[in-house]
Amino acid sequence: METYQEKISLLQEMIAFALVDGQLHDREYDFIEMIAQELEIDKETMLKLYDKKPTKVIIKDEFSRICQFYKLALLMHVDGVLHENEHKKINEIGINMGLNPYAMKRVLHLMKESPTRMIDGDVLIAAFHEQYN
């Protein structure tokens, strides 16, 4: 993440995504709080984002967009319940970020197959780069 506004945008997108199924699970909140700490966004600022309308910041760097997609995918799985609305929304978000739909599908499949719902960073990047060939 380059700028403060990109960090805020990521958190806003994660909050909106967590609410797509109509409720905010404790594990989703904890995950968002952990990401906020990682991004060096204080808790007070993070809490204010729950009341704000999201502002879109387009991330130009593909690697950052892939990482953002992966964080959203982790958030999707953190509560242990995969809602159809979450699946539709993550695909919509990924397409709007300019990510390859086949790579997104592959990543989501790999995560679903993983017992921890996590995949190695090299596998994540490879899933997107193999679509270039």
Side-chain angles (χ1 to χ4, degrees), residues 2-3 8 14 19 23 25 36 44 51 60 74 76 79-80 82 84-85 91 96 103 107 115 118 129:
E2 294 285 327
T3 68
I8 294 296
M14 291 181 79
L19 296 170
Q23 63 183 17
H25 192 278
E44 182 181 336
D51 297 327
K60 295 177 182 165
L74 288 171
M76 180 172 73
D79 65 356
L82 184 58
E84 182 63 27
N85 288 347
N91 283 307
N96 287 338
V107 166
M118 297 176 72
H129 287 197

Side-chain angles (χ1 to χ4, degrees), residues 52-64:
K52 284 186 168 184
K53 181 178 166 122
T55 55
K56 279 284 197 198
V57 173
I58 305 300
I59 300 172
K60 295 177 182 165
D61 175 41
E62 182 185 34
F63 178 76
S64 295

Side-chain angles (χ1 to χ4, degrees), residues 9 20 34 36-37 42 65 72 93 97 107 126 133:
S9 179
V20 102
M34 181 184 71
Q37 289 173 354
D42 63 90
R65 288 182 281 140
L72 291 171
I93 290 169
M97 285 194 286
V107 166
N133 296 331

Side-chain angles (χ1 to χ4, degrees), residues 23-128:
Q23 63 183 17
L24 181 65
H25 192 278
D26 288 343
R27 292 169 119 186
E28 291 172 324
Y29 174 84
D30 293 343
F31 185 77
I32 292 169
E33 185 176 31
M34 181 184 71
I35 297 297
Q37 289 173 354
E38 180 183 304
L39 297 174
E40 298 177 349
I41 302 296
D42 63 90
K43 188 170 184 170
E44 182 181 336
T45 301
M46 181 200 75
L47 291 173
K48 288 179 184 176
L49 297 177
Y50 283 90
D51 297 327
K52 284 186 168 184
K53 181 178 166 122
T55 55
K56 279 284 197 198
V57 173
I58 305 300
I59 300 172
K60 295 177 182 165
D61 175 41
E62 182 185 34
F63 178 76
S64 295
R65 288 182 281 140
I66 291 169
C67 290
Q68 182 173 352
F69 175 82
Y70 182 61
K71 287 175 184 172
L72 291 171
L74 288 171
L75 178 61
M76 180 172 73
H77 289 287
V78 79
D79 65 356
V81 180
L82 184 58
H83 289 87
E84 182 63 27
N85 288 347
E86 290 174 324
H87 195 276
K88 288 178 185 176
K89 187 65 174 178
I90 198 164
N91 283 307
E92 178 185 314
I93 290 169
I95 288 170
N96 287 338
M97 285 194 286
L99 297 176
N100 183 295
Y102 298 108
M104 293 185 309
K105 184 177 180 178
R106 173 120 172 89
V107 166
L108 293 174
H109 175 74
L110 290 169
M111 291 178 75
K112 185 178 178 183
E113 297 297 313
S114 169
T116 63
R117 302 297 184 240
M118 297 176 72
I119 59 175
D120 184 77
D122 292 335
V123 173
L124 173 67
I125 299 303
F128 282 93

